[in-house]
Amino acid sequence: MIVWFRFQNYGSFWHNTLISMQSGIYREHPEHLVPGPKGSLLKTLAIYGPNSSGKSQLINALAFYAAFVRRQLPFCPDSLWNLPGSGSLSGLSYSCCQNRNAAGSSPLSMSMCFFFHGHTFEYGFTLKVLPPIRRR
């Protein structure tokens, strides 16, 4: 179960963005809570907002994170996750912030904390997307 997901400089999100499943002081519907490593976690999360507010970008960031992490696992063949066998990860060219002036030279950064079978795991990475090499 995801405890939190943090990303920065992905798509239109150039600020540090945190999605947390920690319940905080929520106690109205205890059946919507599950025990977590440090307090209760929410079972579900709703993402809503006006058009063009970043809802799809948030889901794309989560999907990119999952695909990138899965690709690093040595015991999982690429065909298992429908990832390309060679070359750059699908979506990598789009992953860096679209607003270059706002992001400057900040790298893409993603991390997640999740709870699985009584253990808490944290995994994160930072990617610096370099400009293409120009050949003469």
Side-chain angles (χ1 to χ4, degrees), residues 21 29 83 86 115:
M21 298 296 287
H29 296 281
L83 294 172
S86 61
F115 188 63

Side-chain angles (χ1 to χ4, degrees), residues 84-103:
S86 61
S88 64
L89 186 64
S90 177
L92 183 58
S93 61
Y94 183 70
S95 65
C96 54
C97 186
Q98 295 171 348
N99 186 350
R100 288 284 193 203
N101 294 331

Side-chain angles (χ1 to χ4, degrees), residues 41-75:
L41 300 174
L42 300 170
K43 284 184 181 180
T44 58
L45 175 71
I47 302 169
Y48 60 93
N51 291 343
S52 299
S53 62
K55 300 178 298 288
S56 295
Q57 285 290 320
L58 189 139
I59 299 301
N60 289 342
L62 189 57
F64 179 85
Y65 174 88
F68 186 86
V69 170
R70 287 177 179 153
R71 189 176 178 104
Q72 307 309 308
L73 301 175
F75 52 86

